[in-house]
């Protein structure tokens, strides 16, 4: 497993970034849920890591996993901000409910 940081810029992203608008909306909605789920997932993985012996080969894998999911969450948050700026005003209230 490798932690990656692709050079993605969502500043000029439009909500309908592919030809199939329904497909875009499904993935846009998934971004909202994902940005709420990933911090919880990282907390669970950090607890699991703390329960492992220091010499466990999973220690490094979990460290990388948490690092990757943290990066992933930041990208989803940036994308969600681009959706807010594109006029998806109700997203903030949906995010609060999650």
């Amino acid at each position: 497993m490798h932690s990656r940081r692709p050079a993605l810029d969502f500043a000029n992203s439009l909500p309908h970034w592919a030809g199939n608008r329904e497909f875009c909306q499904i993935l846009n909605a998934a971004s909202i849920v994902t940005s709420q789920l990933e911090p919880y997932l990282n907390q669970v993985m950090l607890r699991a890591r703390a329960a492992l012996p220091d010499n466990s080969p999973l220690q490094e894998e979990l460290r990388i996993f948490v690092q990757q999911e943290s990066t992933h969450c930041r990208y989803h948050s940036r994308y969600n901000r681009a959706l807010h700026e594109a006029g998806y005003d109700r997203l903030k209230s949906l995010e609060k409910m999650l």
Side-chain angles (χ1 to χ4, degrees), residues 39-82:
Y40 174 75
L41 179 60
N42 277 347
Q43 289 176 359
V44 171
M45 293 299 114
L46 289 171
R47 280 188 179 179
R49 186 172 182 226
L52 291 170
D54 290 340
N55 62 349
S56 171
L58 288 178
Q59 284 285 348
E60 181 63 7
E61 291 296 317
L62 286 173
R63 184 191 69 75
I64 294 169
F65 180 85
V66 168
Q67 184 179 30
Q68 177 63 29
E69 288 305 303
S70 295
T71 299
H72 195 215
C73 186
R74 282 192 295 278
Y75 281 97
H76 277 285
S77 294
R78 287 181 199 158
Y79 186 75
N80 293 347
R81 279 195 300 277

Side-chain angles (χ1 to χ4, degrees), residues 25-52:
Q25 294 301 76
I26 289 168
L27 292 183
N28 290 346
S31 181
I32 298 164
V33 173
T34 304
S35 67
Q36 302 298 315
L37 174 66
E38 285 167 334
Y40 174 75
L41 179 60
N42 277 347
Q43 289 176 359
V44 171
M45 293 299 114
L46 289 171
R47 280 188 179 179
R49 186 172 182 226
L52 291 170

Side-chain angles (χ1 to χ4, degrees), residues 2-23:
H2 302 283
S3 180
R4 300 174 310 267
R5 292 186 179 185
L8 301 174
D9 180 12
F10 302 116
N12 296 316
S13 292
L14 297 174
H16 303 114
W17 41 266
N20 185 321
R21 294 172 67 115
E22 291 81 6
F23 175 75

